[in-house]
């Protein structure tokens, strides 16, 4: 039997054995190699069909990608998305704070809003807003139940664009409210208590202490929503508003080049989504401040890190030779 | 203690009751803490120590009884025979007279140590940011963290975090400092550094109420020790009285276990 004393220590090799001069053979992973090969072949097949099938009509795609009306459509899509996102999250934050308020009426109204606007399909809401003029010919500003100071024609106030913004924004607010509420709830109760015990004013507690910490939870889901919005705006084609998808459909209606035009739209949507994803990375990194000990590297830093790591791995091999 | 008369920070607790649902946490507590004195509250878990402390700065509203700081009711305003609950804004203003140190530090993780200390004096007391920053650096130096001003809480050890939390409470220039088990979340080897800071403060004449399990600290720093059990104060007196000559059975049993 080996006792503790006689057993050789695992760390120290027996004297005189120069382990560092031995050749190291890496473990083999035949399964991984096979899977890699299969995926590579499949990828090659996809690429081959994309290139060789003339019906993709890449020439047409290329010609229309930067066409004026298409770019205008892209711009409209961006405008719709950004305005809707800002409107949706601003109203959503208000709704979330109402939902967390002490007042039963505020809580109930916020709950009811989310309930209604999440329950009715977006396409239906858009058409409702577009037809608001039928319900109310004019919109008045004045004292509730009292005299009005100014009156506006509903039709002139809510055009196609207005209806699209209202429909998308109010619908988005219902979802944003829940996202913001989840973020606020994710902040540790001790943070609220610490802020209260320091006597920090209520509004400052929200803006300086709670919301910045809630952002860590809010950002990933919120970006998801914004990406969803970029594509979701295509639904306003029911209002014949010239955003990307409507523009594309008008063009293929005229030219019958359906598939290439769909590819044009797809490429643009991918580009927009990619831009948002890159922005997301930096926004998340910003709000990670304090939540992690060291910030994750930016893609540039990571690239540089990989290069230096790769170089340092190359060098010892050269030395051994 | 010659300057006691001129000092502020007298805390009075009268007949305080507090229940969470059917569970009675505080069951008629009376306590007077003299200005500039250090009171250590001992007692088993669930005896109501923390709730008492949180009632004193109105983090918890009591069901019955009242609490006063320098004769001013906490959480209420008296008009004739009626008590009006304070509006949140007035309550927050009143809280700035208390410094509270939590068991779990509760530093703001997205702010640096310095920003943690500076935040409340600027936003709650409306003081000049530059002056507060200079003072905050002095406070951080006083708790031995002059070089950690720009670190975020996650980059600090538990003991360092708690010392920043103490500096944060001190920055309000409070009349009373409340400590809720300030060392219970710390590794044993880090307890000493935090207790040293608190003991140091005890000599400066700020009124302090400390809930803790550190008997050694209580013996060394306390003017008055209060022993609580089942929502009541069962025994109180000087460290010698309570720790060396306990009268009550519950105190004896508790001390036998922890000493």
């Amino acid at each position: 039997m080996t006792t503790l004393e006689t057993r050789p220590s695992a760390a120290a090799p027996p004297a005189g054995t120069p382990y560092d001069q031995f050749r190291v053979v890496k473990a083999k992973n035949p399964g991984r190699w096979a899977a890699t090969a299969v995926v590579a072949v499949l990828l090659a097949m996809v690429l081959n069909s994309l290139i060789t099938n003339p019906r993709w009509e890449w020439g047409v795609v290329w010609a229309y990608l930067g066409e004026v009306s298409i770019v205008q459509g892209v711009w409209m899509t961006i405008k719709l998305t950004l305005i809707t996102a800002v409107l949706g999250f601003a109203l959503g934050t208000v709704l979330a704070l109402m939902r967390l308020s002490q007042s039963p009426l505020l809580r109930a109204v916020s709950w009811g809003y989310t309930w209604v606007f999440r329950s009715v399909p977006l396409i239906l809401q858009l058409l409702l807003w577009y037809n608001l003029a039928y319900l109310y010919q004019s919109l008045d500003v004045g004292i509730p139940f009292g005299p009005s100071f100014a009156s506006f024609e509903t039709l002139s106030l809510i055009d196609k664009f207005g209806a699209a913004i209202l429909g998308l924004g109010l619908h988005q607010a219902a979802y944003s409210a829940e996202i913001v509420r989840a973020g606020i709830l994710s902040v540790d109760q001790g943070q609220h208590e610490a802020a209260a015990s320091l006597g920090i004013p209520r509004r400052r507690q929200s803006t300086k202490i709670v919301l910045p910490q809630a952002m860590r939870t809010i950002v990933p889901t919120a970006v998801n929503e914004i990406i969803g919005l970029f594509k979701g705006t295509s639904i306003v084609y029911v209002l014949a508003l010239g955003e990307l998808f409507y523009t594309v459909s008008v063009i293929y209606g005229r030219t019958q080049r359906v598939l290439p035009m769909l590819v044009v739209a797809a490429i643009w949507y991918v580009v927009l989504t990619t831009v948002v994803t890159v922005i997301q990375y930096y926004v998340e990194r910003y709000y990670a401040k304090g939540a992690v000990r060291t910030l994750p590297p930016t893609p540039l830093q990571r690239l540089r890190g990989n290069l230096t790591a790769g170089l340092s791995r190359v060098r010892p091999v050269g030395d051994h030779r | 203690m010659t300057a006691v008369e001129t000092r502020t920070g007298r805390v009075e607790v009268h007949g305080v009751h507090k229940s969470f649902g059917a569970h009675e946490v505080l069951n008629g507590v009376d306590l007077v803490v003299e200005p500039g004195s250090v009171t250590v509250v001992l007692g088993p878990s669930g005896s109501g120590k923390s709730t008492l402390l949180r009632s004193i700065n109105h983090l918890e509203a009591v069901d019955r009884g009242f609490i006063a700081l320098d004769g001013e009711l906490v959480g209420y305003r008296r008009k004739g025979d009626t008590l009006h609950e304070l509006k949140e804004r007035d309550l927050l203003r009143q809280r700035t007279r208390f410094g509270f140190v939590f068991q779990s530090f509760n530093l703001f993780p997205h702010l640096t140590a310095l920003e943690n200390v500076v935040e409340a004096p600027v936003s709650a007391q409306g003081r000049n940011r530059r002056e507060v920053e200079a003072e905050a650096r002095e406070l951080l130096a006083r708790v031995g963290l002059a070089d950690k001003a720009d670190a975020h809480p996650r980059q600090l050890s538990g003991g360092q975090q708690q010392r920043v939390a103490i500096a944060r409470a001190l920055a309000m220039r409070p009349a009373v400092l409340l400590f809720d088990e300030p060392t219970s979340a710390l590794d044993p080897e880090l307890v000493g550094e935090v207790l040293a800071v608190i003991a140091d403060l005890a000599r400066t004449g700020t009124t302090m109420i400390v809930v803790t399990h550190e008997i050694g600290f209580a013996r060394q720093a306390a003017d008055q020790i209060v022993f609580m059990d089942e929502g009541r104060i069962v025994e109180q007196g000087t460290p010698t009285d309570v720790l060396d000559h306990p009268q009550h059975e519950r105190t004896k049993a508790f001390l036998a276990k922890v000493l």
Side-chain angles (χ1 to χ4, degrees), chain B residues 146-166:
Chain B
D147 54 332
K148 298 290 186 189
D150 297 321
H152 280 91
R154 291 279 149 83
Q155 295 162 331
L156 302 174
S157 74
Q160 292 171 331
Q161 286 189 50
Q162 191 62 300
R163 285 187 278 153
V164 173
I166 293 171

Side-chain angles (χ1 to χ4, degrees), chain A residues 102-167:
Chain A
Q102 301 284 329
S103 153
L105 182 68
L106 291 187
R107 279 204 306 266
V109 167
S110 170
W111 183 89
Y113 181 96
T114 307
W115 173 58
V116 170
F117 281 84
R118 275 203 313 201
S119 303
V120 180
L122 177 55
I123 194 163
L124 211 152
Q125 288 185 36
L126 284 168
L127 293 171
L128 274 175
W129 286 114
Y130 193 46
N131 291 300
L132 190 70
Y134 173 77
L135 285 172
Y136 305 98
Q137 273 82 29
S138 68
L139 300 175
D140 296 8
V141 180
I143 297 165
F145 306 107
S148 89
F149 307 135
S151 179
F152 304 96
E153 285 283 313
T154 306
L155 262 179
S156 66
L157 212 61
I158 303 179
D159 55 357
K160 280 184 208 170
F161 186 70
I165 290 293
L166 265 179

Side-chain angles (χ1 to χ4, degrees), chain A residues 191 213 289-291, chain B residues 106-112 116 152-154:
Chain A
Q191 295 291 311
Q213 296 185 60
K289 222 175 30 171
Chain B
N106 293 351
L107 290 179
F108 305 128
H110 58 301
L111 303 180
T112 64
N116 263 281
H152 280 91
R154 291 279 149 83

Side-chain angles (χ1 to χ4, degrees), chain A residues 179 211-227 273 275-299 302, chain B residues 110 152:
Chain A
I179 293 170
L211 281 177
Q213 296 185 60
M215 287 305 275
R216 246 177 90 68
T217 315
I218 293 175
V219 169
T221 335
V223 173
N224 229 2
E225 288 290 309
I226 291 171
I227 288 174
T273 311
V275 171
V276 176
T277 312
V278 171
I279 294 172
Q280 171 184 18
Y281 184 84
Y282 283 92
V283 174
E284 274 186 27
R285 193 169 176 278
Y286 175 80
Y287 283 110
K289 222 175 30 171
V292 288
R293 279 175 198 230
T294 46
L295 286 180
T298 65
R302 197 181 309 161
Chain B
H110 58 301
H152 280 91

Side-chain angles (χ1 to χ4, degrees), chain A residues 212-284:
Chain A
Q213 296 185 60
M215 287 305 275
R216 246 177 90 68
T217 315
I218 293 175
V219 169
T221 335
V223 173
N224 229 2
E225 288 290 309
I226 291 171
I227 288 174
L229 262 179
F230 261 121
K231 298 170 296 169
T233 51
S234 58
I235 203 169
V236 305
Y237 86 99
V238 293
L239 306 179
L241 185 65
E243 46 70 57
L244 178 55
F245 181 70
Y246 180 76
T247 312
V248 162
S249 65
V250 166
I251 295 176
Y252 69 61
R254 198 178 60 222
T255 62
Q256 300 304 313
R257 293 280 185 34
V258 178
L259 253 157
M261 290 319 295
L262 289 181
V263 171
V264 167
I267 289 174
W268 272 112
Y269 281 120
V270 169
V271 168
L272 294 177
T273 311
T274 309
V275 171
V276 176
T277 312
V278 171
I279 294 172
Q280 171 184 18
Y281 184 84
Y282 283 92
V283 174
E284 274 186 27

Side-chain angles (χ1 to χ4, degrees), chain A residues 1 47 61 82 87 126 134-135 167 173 207 210 212 289 292:
Chain A
M1 275 187 83
L47 273 178
V61 170
L82 292 187
L87 184 71
L126 284 168
Y134 173 77
L135 285 172
T207 56
V210 178
K289 222 175 30 171
V292 288

Side-chain angles (χ1 to χ4, degrees), chain B residues 226-237:
Chain B
V226 170
F227 181 78
M228 285 185 74
D229 189 40
E230 293 178 351
R232 269 182 243 264
I233 293 179
V234 294
E235 191 154 354
Q236 74 187 90

